[in-house]
C-alpha cells in the first residue's frame, strides 16, 4: 500500500537572555557544575519566582514573528512530574493560556512555498542536567542545576509536513527566524535548539490521521531526518502486515540509528497542570505589543524575495546570502556603499564564504568591513588592479584586516596602465625572445600569448592586460 | 505588674528610656521559657545565645545614644515555617529536620532591621496543615489556659508562647485561619493581613494563593507596630502589592461612631457554641453603645467555603510539597533502590499522615479528568465568595463574627476526625479565599474559662480601619489583660 507520512515538530529553543527566567542567575554555558544557582532555581523552601521581562518579550517577539494570535491575557501553569533534574518537581510552563496560538510559518521546498501552521508558542523553564558517572557499577548519579531555570521557548507545529524535505526546510527556516529575531543563539551542540518529532502514516488520499508516534532524543537536525526516515519504514512495514500502530513515545538511538520504545500512551504522565499561584497573569496591551512588533526584523524568506527583486540576484545567490542574518546584513551594508549588487554578491558568496570556511571565521564577527569590500570592488572596476591581483588583495584584507588601498600601496600592486612603462617591458620581452617573434610571424598566433605572459611576469602581473595586448599587437604587427 | 506580663510597647519604652536593659529582659524571659516549656511545648528551637548577643548590641546602641529600630529589644518568636538564616526551619516536619536556610524571609529581615530580638521558632501543625498543632512531628503544644486543650493551629506554638508570656509577640502564618483561630483559642490578638500586604518570600509555601504572614500579640497596639514592620512591597514576591503602608498607630483611637458593622446570618447557625454566640452578641452591644450601627446581611456562598478551601489549598499544597524529594536538601531515606524508591521512601518517612492525606487529595483534584470538576469549579466558586464580600462591603464598613465556632477542644478530641477538624476554620477560611484582612481579638470567656475570640473582617488593605475598630473594643474591655493561671510551672503544682 502507498502511504502518506504526516509529521509535526515540537521545538525547544533556549532564549539568549543574560539571566534565567525566574531568578538573576547567569545563563552562561559550559561553566563548572552548580555554580550558577541560587535558592530560586534550586527550588529551596519558601522561595518565589520573579519573571524575567526580557525573556517574556523574546517569547512574544517570536510568537509575533510566527504570525500567532497573541493571548492578551496569559499566565503560567505548573506542570508536575518527578525527576531529579527538576528542582521543584514541577516545571513552570504555560498550558491554559499560551502566549501565542494559531500561527504559521512559510517554508520553501524546491522553489515552492508551503504554509506550516503553528499550534502554539509558549514560554517555560529549562531543567537541569543529570550526569551519570562513567565508573562501572556506580550506584549514584549527579545533577547540575546550571541550566535549571534558563528560559525555554516551545514551538509546536501542526502535523502539516509530509516528507523529510519539508521537515528539513521547517527546521532551517525556524532556526533562521530564531536567529533573525535574535531571541536564541540556536547552538544545537549546546542544546539550545532541540526537536521532537511526531510521525504517523496513513493511506494515500485519506484525510484521517493515523496513530501518532513521538520520537525524542533527537540531538541534531540530521537525527531528526534519519529518525523520520526510519520511523516511516518501520510503521509502513507494520501497516503492510496489517498491524496497528501503537501510540507511544520512542527514543532515537543516534549510534544504532534506530528508535526504541520508551513509554506507551497509557503510561503517559498526568502533569496535573494548574495556574502558577506565585506569578501574576501577564496582560499584554496594544502599546507593548506594538513596541515588540517594531523590534521584529524582516524575516529570511521576505528578505530573499526582496534581494531577488531589488538587486536582481538569482534564487540561488539570494538564498545563500539570507542563510545567515549577519551575511545578509553585510551584503546590504556593502550595497549601500557601492551600488554593484551582483559583483558584491559574487565576492561574498565565492570569496568571503570560502575564507570563512577555510579559516573558520565567525560570520558574526568578520575581520573585513563592508566599506573595505565595497572599496575593493570599486578599485577593480576602475581598473586599478586586475581581478587576479584582487584575489590576492582580498586574501590579505582578511588576514591583516586592512583596507584594500593600503595593501595595494604597501605591496605596490596597482595596475600599470602607463603606455610608456609597458612599452619598455614589451621591448625587453621582444628582445629576449627573438625566435618567438619569428614563430609568430610564421603564423603561430598563440606565440603572442606567450609574450603577454612574459610581460605579465615581468610586471608581477600588474600590467593592465588591455593596454598590454594592444601595444604588443601594434609592436609585432609593424 | 510583672515584667514579662507587659506588652511589647511597654517593654520597648522601658528599654529605650534605659529603665531596663534588654539583656535582663531576655534572661528573664528564657528563665520563664525553661520553666514553662515542658508543659506548654511552644518552641521547636530556642536561640538564647543569639538573642543575648542581639540584646547586648541593642543595650550598647542605647547607651551610645544611637538610633534604634521600631521593635528595639522586643523578644519575638517566629513560627517555624518562616525562614531564618542559619536557624533551623523545620515546618514541624521530619522531612525538613535540621534544614538550615541560607536566607532570611522578608519578614525575618525586617524584624532584624528594626532591632527585634528573635528568641526562637515555634511549633505548628506540620507544614501549617491543621487547626490544633497536634500534627507537629515534634511535639504537641498545649493551651496555656488549660493544658488539656489545644492552643488552636496551625500557629499554636506562636499563640501559646505569647499567651503564656513566653514571648512578647510572635509571627504566624494564616492560610485558612492559622493565625486568627489560635489567637482566639489562646486569648490574644491575631491579624491576618490582606493577601499581598506582607511578602511571602521565605514563608514555606502551603497554599500559595491563600498564605499570608500574620501577627500574634498581647494587644491591638502591639499588632499595629508589628504589622507596620512587616507590611510592604517586596520585589521578590510577585504577589506582594505596591500599596503604600499607612501609619497603623496614628489615629488608632479614632473610635467607631457611625461605623456600619455587618453581621452575616450564615455565621450564626447551629454549629455555633452558645458561649461564643453570647460573647459576640455582648460585644456587639458594646459597639452599639460606642455609636456603631449593626446591619444584618447575607453572604450566600458561605456554605461552600470549606469545600472550596480544601480543594484549592490541597491542590496547591500537593504541588508546593513536591520539592521535598531527598535530592537537594532535607531528609533522604537511608535504604533506597533506585530513584523512584528513593522518592517514595523519603516522602513516606518524612511526611506525617495529615500532610500525606492533603497531598493525595490535592493531586486527585488536579488529575486529568477531575481538574474541571474540582479545581476549576472551586476556583469559580471562590470568585463567588469573593463577590459576596465585595457586595457586602458596599453597604457596611466591616464584618463581625466569631473566629472559631467553639471556645476550644481537647487534645486528641478531633485528632481522628479530619472533617470535624476542618470545620474548626469555618469562620476564618472565607477571608483567605477572598484575600481580605481579618483580626481576632479577645471578647470573653466560656463557662469553662477558655478565652473566646471575635473576628473583624474588612476590605482589602483596610488593616488600619480594622485595628481602630479592634482598639475601640479593647479600650472598653479588659479581656486582653486577663492572664492564664500559669504562675507556677505546672510540673511543680
Amino acid at each position: 500500500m502507498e502511504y502518506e507520512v504526516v509529521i509535526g515538530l515540537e521545538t525547544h529553543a533556549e532564549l539568549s537572555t543574560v539571566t534565567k527566567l525566574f531568578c538573576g542567575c547567569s545563563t552562561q554555558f559550559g561553566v563548572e557544575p552548580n555554580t550558577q544557582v541560587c535558592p530560586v532555581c534550586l527550588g529551596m523552601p519558601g522561595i518565589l519566582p520573579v519573571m524575567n521581562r526580557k525573556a517574556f518579550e523574546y517569547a512574544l517577539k517570536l510568537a509575533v514573528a510566527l504570525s500567532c494570535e497573541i493571548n492578551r491575557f496569559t499566565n503560567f501553569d505548573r506542570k508536575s512530574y518527578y525527576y531529579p533534574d527538576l528542582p521543584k518537581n514541577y516545571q513552570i510552563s504555560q498550558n491554559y493560556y499560551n502566549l501565542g496560538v494559531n500561527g504559521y510559518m512559510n517554508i520553501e521546498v524546491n522553489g515552492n512555498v508551503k504554509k506550516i501552521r503553528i499550534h502554539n508558542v509558549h514560554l517555560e523553564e529549562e531543567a537541569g542536567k543529570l550526569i551519570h558517572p562513567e565508573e562501572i557499577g556506580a550506584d549514584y548519579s549527579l545533577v547540575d542545576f546550571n541550566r535549571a531555570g534558563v528560559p525555554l521557548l516551545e514551538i509546536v507545529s501542526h502535523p502539516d509536513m509530509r516528507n523529510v524535505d519539508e521537515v528539513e526546510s521547517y527546521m532551517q527556516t525556524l532556526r533562521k527566524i530564531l536567529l533573525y529575531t535574535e531571541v536564541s543563539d540556536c547552538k544545537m551542540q549546546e542544546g539550545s535548539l532541540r526537536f521532537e518529532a511526531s510521525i504517523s502514516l496513513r493511506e494515500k488520499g485519506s484525510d484521517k490521521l493515523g496513530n501518532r508516534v513521538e520520537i525524542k532524543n533527537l540531538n541534531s537536525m540530521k537525527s531528526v531526518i534519519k529518525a523520520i526516515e526510519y520511523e516511516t519504514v518501520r510503521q509502513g512495514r507494520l501497516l503492510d502486515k496489517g498491524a496497528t500502530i501503537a501510540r507511544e513515545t520512542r527514543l532515537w538511538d543516534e549510534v544504532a540509528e534506530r528508535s526504541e520504545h520508551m513509554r506507551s500512551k497509557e503510561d503517559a504522565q498526568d502533569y496535573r497542570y494548574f495556574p502558577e499561584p506565585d506569578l501574576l497573569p501577564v496582560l499584554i496591551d496594544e502599546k507593548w505589543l506594538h513596541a515588540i512588533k517594531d523590534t521584529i526584523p524582516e524575516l529570511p524568506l521576505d528578505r530573499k524575495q526582496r534581494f531577488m527583486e531589488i538587486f536582481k540576484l538569482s534564487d540561488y545567490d539570494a538564498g545563500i546570502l539570507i542563510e545567515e542574518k549577519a551575511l545578509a546584513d553585510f551584503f546590504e551594508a556593502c550595497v549601500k556603499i557601492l551600488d554593484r549588487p551582483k559583483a558584491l554578491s559574487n565576492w561574498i558568496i565565492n570569496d568571503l564564504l570560502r575564507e570563512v570556511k577555510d579559516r573558520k571565521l565567525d560570520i558574526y564577527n568578520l575581520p573585513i568591513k563592508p566599506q573595505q569590500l565595497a572599496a575593493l570592488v570599486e578599485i577593480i572596476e576602475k581598473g586599478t588592479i586586475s581581478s587576479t591581483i584582487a584575489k590576492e588583495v582580498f586574501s590579505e584584507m582578511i588576514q591583516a584586516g586592512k583596507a584594500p588601498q593600503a595593501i595595494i600601496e604597501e605591496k605596490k600592486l596597482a595596475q600599470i596602465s602607463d603606455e610608456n612603462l609597458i612599452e619598455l617591458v614589451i621591448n625587453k620581452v621582444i628582445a629576449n625572445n627573438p625566435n618567438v617573434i619569428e614563430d609568430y610571424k610564421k603564423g603561430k598566433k598563440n606565440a603572442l600569448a606567450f609574450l603577454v605572459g612574459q610581460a605579465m611576469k615581468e610586471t608581477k602581473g600588474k600590467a593592465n592586460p588591455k593596454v598590454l595586448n594592444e601595444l604588443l599587437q601594434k609592436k609585432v604587427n609593424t | 505588674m510583672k515584667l514579662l506580663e507587659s506588652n511589647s510597647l511597654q517593654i520597648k519604652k522601658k528599654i529605650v528610656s534605659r529603665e531596663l536593659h534588654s539583656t535582663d529582659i531576655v534572661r528573664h524571659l528564657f528563665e520563664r521559657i525553661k520553666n514553662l516549656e515542658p508543659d506548654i511545648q511552644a518552641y521547636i528551637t530556642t536561640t538564647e545565645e543569639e538573642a543575648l548577643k542581639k540584646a547586648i548590641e541593642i543595650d550598647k546602641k542605647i547607651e551610645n545614644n544611637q538610633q534604634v529600630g521600631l521593635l528595639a529589644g522586643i523578644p519575638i518568636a517566629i513560627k517555624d515555617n518562616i525562614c531564618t538564616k542559619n536557624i533551623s526551619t523545620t515546618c514541624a516536619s521530619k522531612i525538613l529536620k535540621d534544614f538550615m536556610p541560607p536566607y532570611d524571609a522578608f519578614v525575618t529581615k525586617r524584624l532584624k532591621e528594626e532591632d527585634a530580638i528573635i528568641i526562637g521558632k515555634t511549633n505548628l501543625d506540620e507544614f501549617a496543615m491543621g487547626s490544633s498543632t497536634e500534627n507537629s512531628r515534634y511535639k504537641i503544644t498545649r493551651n496555656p489556659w488549660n493544658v488539656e486543650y489545644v492552643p488552636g493551629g496551625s500557629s499554636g506554638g506562636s499563640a501559646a508562647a505569647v499567651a503564656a508570656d513566653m514571648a512578647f509577640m510572635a509571627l504566624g502564618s494564616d492560610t485558612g485561619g492559622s493565625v486568627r483561630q489560635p489567637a482566639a483559642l489562646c486569648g490574644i490578638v491575631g491579624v491576618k493581613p490582606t493577601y499581598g500586604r506582607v511578602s511571602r518570600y521565605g514563608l514555606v509555601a502551603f497554599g500559595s494563593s491563600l498564605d499570608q504572614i500574620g501577627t500574634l500579640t498581647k494587644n491591638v497596639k502591639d499588632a499595629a507596630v508589628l504589622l507596620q514592620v512587616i507590611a510592604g512591597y517586596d520585589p521578590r514576591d510577585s504577589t506582594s502589592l505596591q500599596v503604600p503602608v499607612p501609619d497603623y498607630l496614628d489615629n488608632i483611637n479614632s473610635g467607631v461612631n457611625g461605623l456600619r458593622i455587618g453581621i452575616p446570618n450564615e455565621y450564626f447557625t447551629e454549629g455555633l457554641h452558645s458561649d461564643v454566640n453570647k460573647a459576640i452578641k455582648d460585644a456587639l452591644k458594646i459597639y452599639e453603645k460606642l455609636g456603631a450601627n449593626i446591619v444584618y446581611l447575607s453572604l450566600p456562598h458561605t456554605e461552600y467555603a470549606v469545600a472550596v478551601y480544601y480543594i484549592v489549598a490541597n491542590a496547591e499544597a500537593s504541588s508546593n510539597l513536591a520539592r521535598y524529594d531527598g535530592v537537594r536538601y532535607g531528609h533522604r531515606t537511608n535504604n533506597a533502590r533506585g530513584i523512584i524508591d528513593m522518592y517514595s521512601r523519603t516522602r513516606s518517612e518524612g511526611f506525617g499522615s495529615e500532610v500525606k492525606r492533603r497531598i493525595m487529595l490535592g493531586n486527585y483534584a488536579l488529575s486529568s479528568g477531575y481538574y474541571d470538576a474540582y479545581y476549576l469549579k472551586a476556583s469559580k466558586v471562590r470568585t463567588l465568595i469573593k463577590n459576596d464580600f465585595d457586595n457586602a462591603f458596599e453597604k457596611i464598613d466591616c464584618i463581625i463574627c466569631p473566629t472559631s465556632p467553639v471556645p476550644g477542644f481537647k487534645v486528641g478530641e478531633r485528632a481522628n476526625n479530619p472533617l470535624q477538624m476542618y470545620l474548626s476554620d469555618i469562620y476564618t477560611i472565607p477571608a483567605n479565599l477572598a484575600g481580605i484582612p481579618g483580626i481576632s481579638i479577645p471578647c470573653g470567656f466560656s463557662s469553662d474559662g477558655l478565652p473566646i475570640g471575635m473576628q473583624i473582617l474588612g476590605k482589602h488593605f483596610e488593616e488600619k480601619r480594622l485595628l481602630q475598630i479592634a482598639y475601640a473594643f479593647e479600650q472598653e474591655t479588659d479581656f486582653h489583660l486577663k492572664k492564664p493561671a500559669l504562675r507556677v510551672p505546672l510540673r511543680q503544682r
Side-chain angles (χ1 to χ4, degrees):
Chain A
M1 202 188 290
E2 213 180 328
Y3 300 110
E4 182 178 46
V5 199
V6 177
I7 309 152
L9 285 185
E10 243 180 64
T11 309
H12 283 100
E14 283 186 357
L15 297 179
S16 53
T17 51
V18 179
T19 57
K20 293 185 179 178
L21 185 49
F22 298 118
C23 62
C25 287
S26 164
T27 56
Q28 203 194 323
F29 182 83
V31 301
E32 220 17 47
N34 296 315
T35 53
Q36 288 173 171
V37 293
C38 72
V40 178
C41 56
L42 285 177
M44 301 286 275
I47 298 301
L48 301 167
V50 177
M51 189 187 74
N52 179 340
R53 188 184 169 97
K54 196 94 206 165
F56 190 87
E57 289 186 337
Y58 278 11
L60 195 53
K61 195 170 166 183
L62 195 87
V64 173
L66 294 180
S67 310
C68 287
E69 292 165 19
I70 303 301
N71 263 323
R72 298 312 174 88
F73 172 101
T74 77
N75 67 350
F76 290 93
D77 297 298
R78 291 185 182 177
K79 177 182 182 177
S80 294
Y81 63 94
Y82 280 82
Y83 207 65
D85 67 5
L86 191 64
K88 301 181 292 293
N89 286 316
Y90 60 79
Q91 179 193 30
I92 303 178
S93 178
Q94 297 192 294
N95 181 58
Y96 296 111
Y97 296 93
N98 288 310
L99 190 64
V101 293
N102 300 333
Y104 69 87
M105 184 173 77
N106 282 329
I107 63 168
E108 214 185 38
V109 181
N110 304 326
N112 299 319
V113 173
K114 181 172 177 179
K115 185 187 258 189
I116 306 295
R117 291 170 302 148
I118 303 295
H119 183 273
N120 77 74
V121 172
H122 68 260
L123 185 57
E124 59 190 24
E125 56 180 342
E126 179 76 286
K129 194 181 158 197
L130 286 184
I131 301 161
H132 302 290
E134 281 170 23
E135 69 202 66
I136 294 163
D139 62 348
Y140 66 95
S141 287
L142 300 169
V143 56
D144 174 9
F145 291 107
N146 281 349
R147 304 312 294 159
V150 167
L152 197 60
L153 199 59
E154 183 170 328
I155 303 136
V156 184
S157 87
H158 276 278
D160 285 354
M161 286 162 270
R162 297 290 174 266
N163 55 55
V164 285
D165 291 342
E166 291 180 2
V167 172
E168 175 76 36
S169 178
Y170 176 90
M171 292 190 292
Q172 293 292 358
T173 310
L174 183 55
R175 180 179 166 274
K176 267 179 280 200
I177 292 176
L178 285 162
L179 287 170
Y180 267 61
T181 48
E182 292 171 343
V183 303
S184 171
D185 62 17
C186 294
K187 289 183 181 160
M188 288 200 75
Q189 67 280 13
E190 293 181 7
S192 44
L193 184 63
R194 311 190 292 265
F195 298 96
E196 286 171 21
S198 68
I199 307 148
S200 63
L201 259 56
R202 66 180 170 196
E203 201 178 323
K204 209 150 203 168
S206 161
D207 54 3
K208 227 180 102 201
L209 286 172
N211 274 349
R212 182 175 81 211
V213 170
E214 284 169 50
I215 313 271
K216 287 183 185 283
N217 197 37
L218 301 167
N219 296 323
S220 65
M221 294 193 188
K222 222 159 111 191
S223 297
V224 175
I225 300 300
K226 282 194 171 161
I228 292 172
E229 283 168 344
Y230 175 88
E231 191 57 23
T232 306
V233 173
R234 190 187 71 85
Q235 289 187 26
R237 280 187 190 148
L238 283 170
L239 289 172
D240 283 343
K241 279 193 276 180
T244 43
I245 304 297
R247 285 197 61 177
E248 60 176 335
T249 300
R250 297 177 72 85
L251 275 185
W252 179 248
D253 181 336
E254 205 171 39
V255 182
E257 297 197 345
R258 48 173 300 187
S259 66
E260 274 164 21
H261 172 80
M262 181 188 164
R263 62 165 183 251
S264 58
K265 175 77 173 41
E266 290 71 39
D267 300 334
Q269 308 209 29
D270 180 353
Y271 291 123
R272 303 189 302 279
Y273 284 105
F274 79 103
E276 165 58 275
D278 287 333
L279 291 164
L280 300 178
V282 184
L283 303 175
I284 302 163
D285 61 15
E286 209 56 47
K287 202 177 141 205
W288 195 15
L289 194 56
H290 265 288
I292 294 293
K293 278 182 179 163
D294 285 346
T295 66
I296 294 173
E298 185 183 22
L299 296 178
L301 273 188
D302 297 334
R303 199 167 199 184
K304 183 178 168 190
Q305 284 305 318
R306 184 166 58 87
F307 280 11
M308 288 164 67
E309 277 162 29
I310 310 278
F311 302 130
K312 309 284 176 230
L313 298 183
S314 69
D315 183 282
Y316 176 81
D317 287 355
I320 290 180
L321 288 176
I322 61 106
E323 194 59 39
E324 295 283 354
K325 178 167 183 284
L327 203 64
D329 287 346
F330 186 90
F331 167 73
E332 281 209 75
C334 290
V335 176
K336 214 168 248 175
I337 298 161
L338 182 73
D339 186 20
R340 292 287 183 280
K342 183 67 197 156
L344 287 162
S345 142
N346 285 342
W347 272 97
I348 291 169
I349 292 169
N350 300 325
D351 301 273
L352 181 58
L353 283 183
R354 193 191 52 241
E355 293 283 353
V356 165
K357 200 176 154 222
D358 292 351
R359 297 179 196 276
K360 296 188 169 53
L361 299 176
D362 176 6
I363 224 158
Y364 286 84
N365 198 9
L366 289 170
I368 178 175
K369 301 268 171 310
Q371 296 88 316
Q372 297 174 336
L373 182 63
L376 180 66
V377 171
E378 197 170 21
I379 290 166
I380 299 163
E381 298 213 338
K382 271 192 194 154
T384 310
I385 55 172
S386 68
S387 49
T388 320
I389 292 285
K391 305 266 174 196
E392 197 182 314
V393 172
F394 182 75
S395 183
E396 185 68 17
M397 284 163 70
I398 295 280
Q399 277 182 69
K402 284 183 194 161
Q405 294 90 335
I407 294 164
I408 291 163
E409 255 168 56
E410 209 174 280
K411 301 208 157 185
K412 302 196 169 47
L413 293 172
Q415 190 156 270
I416 303 163
S417 301
D418 185 324
E419 295 193 7
N420 294 328
L421 282 177
I422 292 177
E423 204 170 342
L424 284 176
V425 175
I426 289 172
N427 290 341
K428 193 179 165 192
V429 170
I430 290 175
N432 289 345
N433 299 284
N435 33 355
V436 179
I437 299 291
E438 285 302 306
D439 289 350
Y440 177 73
K441 288 190 169 164
K442 278 179 194 157
K444 213 173 168 186
K445 293 290 173 204
N446 60 355
L448 207 59
F450 175 77
L451 293 176
V452 170
Q454 290 299 306
M456 275 295 181
K457 202 171 167 190
E458 204 57 37
T459 59
K460 293 193 175 92
K462 291 180 288 184
N464 182 327
K466 197 168 158 239
V467 178
L468 174 63
N469 264 308
E470 277 172 15
L471 283 177
L472 192 62
Q473 290 270 4
K474 221 190 268 171
K475 260 271 167 356
V476 294
N477 291 333
T478 50
Chain B
M1 193 203 279
K2 284 194 180 163
L3 181 64
L4 297 179
E5 290 183 7
S6 321
N7 62 47
S8 300
L9 285 177
Q10 288 167 337
I11 278 293
K12 184 197 160 192
K13 203 173 158 195
K14 282 181 178 152
I15 294 168
V16 174
S17 66
R18 306 184 189 196
E19 197 180 316
L20 278 171
H21 282 302
S22 174
T23 37
D24 292 336
I25 295 162
V26 170
R27 283 199 191 95
H28 269 97
L29 186 71
F30 273 98
E31 209 172 293
R32 182 170 174 89
I33 291 173
K34 271 168 217 159
N35 281 333
L36 292 180
E37 183 61 12
D39 301 305
I40 303 298
Q41 306 268 318
Y43 287 92
I44 290 178
T45 307
T46 49
T47 53
E48 186 169 6
E49 209 174 302
E50 293 95 323
L52 273 171
K53 229 180 263 170
K54 180 78 183 180
I56 290 167
E57 185 191 314
I58 288 158
D59 284 340
K60 233 175 235 160
K61 269 190 186 176
I62 289 167
E63 211 176 290
N64 298 334
N65 291 317
Q66 277 173 272
Q67 194 152 357
V68 289
L70 274 175
L71 302 176
I74 302 174
I76 180 163
I78 299 178
K79 188 177 182 181
D80 209 22
N81 63 347
I82 295 172
C83 289
T84 42
K85 191 173 176 175
N86 299 330
I87 301 173
S88 77
T89 299
T90 67
C91 295
S93 180
K94 292 281 183 207
I95 212 152
L96 284 178
K97 187 175 181 286
D98 304 325
F99 173 68
M100 202 69 87
Y103 43 83
D104 271 330
F106 174 84
V107 292
T108 309
K109 188 169 145 271
R110 287 293 299 127
L111 293 186
K112 288 179 176 175
E113 285 167 357
E114 296 296 343
D115 288 327
I117 297 177
I118 296 165
I119 51 173
K121 305 294 295 288
T122 54
N123 196 23
L124 64 151
D125 288 297
E126 186 177 7
F127 283 103
M129 295 176 180
S131 312
S132 67
T133 318
E134 292 167 286
N135 294 335
S136 167
R137 300 297 299 284
Y138 298 103
K139 47 178 67 175
I140 293 177
T141 302
R142 304 286 173 149
N143 192 324
W145 292 88
N146 184 337
V147 292
E148 286 179 19
Y149 281 76
V150 302
S154 64
S155 310
S158 285
V162 172
D165 295 322
M166 296 160 72
F168 282 86
M169 40 173 56
L171 289 181
S173 67
D174 191 317
T175 306
S178 280
V179 161
R180 289 160 290 158
Q181 185 254 17
L185 268 51
C186 289
I188 59 170
V189 174
V191 176
K192 180 206 95 81
T194 308
Y195 184 79
R197 175 76 292 177
V198 178
S199 168
R200 292 184 294 119
Y201 183 87
L203 167 67
V204 179
F206 160 17
S208 308
S209 72
L210 303 154
D211 294 341
Q212 191 64 192
I213 292 172
T215 63
L216 295 119
T217 55
K218 297 182 183 183
N219 66 21
V220 174
K221 274 190 170 179
D222 282 4
V225 176
L226 186 49
L227 184 61
Q228 194 78 54
V229 168
I230 62 170
Y233 173 68
D234 174 11
R236 288 176 304 177
D237 174 2
S238 309
T239 63
S240 84
L241 287 163
Q242 273 174 304
V243 176
V245 180
D247 184 333
Y248 292 121
L249 271 183
D250 190 40
N251 286 328
I252 196 159
N253 56 359
S254 65
V256 294
N257 195 23
L259 183 83
R260 298 167 301 172
I261 298 174
I263 306 299
N265 299 326
E266 290 82 359
Y267 285 50
F268 294 84
T269 49
E270 68 256 49
L272 183 60
H273 192 285
S274 57
D275 289 357
V276 179
N277 188 28
K278 183 174 181 302
I280 302 290
K281 295 285 156 69
D282 290 346
L284 290 176
K285 279 178 203 144
I286 292 176
Y287 274 116
E288 280 185 302
K289 194 191 82 189
L290 294 173
N293 304 308
I294 307 296
V295 181
Y296 290 92
L297 55 87
S298 171
L299 297 172
H301 298 92
T302 300
E303 62 171 308
Y304 305 112
V306 174
V308 165
Y309 173 80
Y310 277 96
I311 288 169
V312 173
N314 292 348
E316 292 177 359
S318 70
S319 158
N320 285 330
L321 270 58
R323 69 188 62 194
Y324 308 109
D325 57 6
V327 174
R328 285 143 300 129
Y329 51 78
H331 174 70
R332 180 193 289 175
T333 187
N334 283 324
N335 45 351
R337 294 170 176 220
I339 187 73
I340 303 291
D341 192 43
M342 192 281 275
Y343 285 151
S344 148
R345 284 173 191 266
T346 295
R347 289 167 66 81
S348 295
E349 293 161 11
F351 292 134
S353 57
E354 180 61 24
V355 172
K356 286 176 189 161
R357 176 171 18 248
R358 297 199 191 200
I359 290 173
M360 284 188 280
L361 286 169
N363 276 327
Y364 182 80
L366 292 176
S367 337
S368 156
Y370 296 97
Y371 176 83
D372 288 1
Y374 292 103
Y375 187 84
L376 195 64
K377 183 64 132 292
S379 301
K380 287 175 180 170
V381 180
R382 182 177 183 178
T383 304
L384 295 177
I385 290 167
K386 188 177 168 289
N387 291 347
D388 278 358
F389 283 108
D390 288 346
N391 294 335
F393 285 130
E394 279 176 14
K395 291 166 281 195
I396 51 161
D397 302 304
C398 73
I399 285 169
I400 285 184
C401 61
T403 309
S404 160
V406 293
F409 49 93
K410 286 185 175 168
V411 173
E413 193 181 320
R414 295 186 175 186
N416 296 318
N417 189 341
L419 204 57
Q420 202 190 7
M421 187 71 95
Y422 295 172
L423 290 173
S424 310
D425 298 328
I426 191 161
Y427 299 137
T428 47
I429 278 172
N432 297 82
L433 292 172
I436 58 172
I439 181 168
S440 177
I441 56 171
C443 71
F445 287 88
S446 72
S447 51
D448 297 335
L450 292 170
I452 292 170
M454 165 170 67
Q455 182 175 222
I456 314 169
L457 302 173
K459 293 181 215 175
H460 289 99
F461 292 100
E462 292 215 335
E463 286 83 0
K464 189 177 166 77
R465 191 73 190 113
L466 289 187
L467 290 164
Q468 289 168 343
I469 298 165
Y471 187 71
F473 182 82
E474 196 179 78
Q475 288 301 95
E476 290 295 309
T477 57
D478 59 359
F479 302 117
H480 65 290
L481 297 174
K482 295 272 197 293
K483 292 286 174 184
L486 274 174
R487 301 289 179 264
V488 214
L490 297 174
R491 285 166 300 133
Q492 293 164 26
R493 266 198 250 169

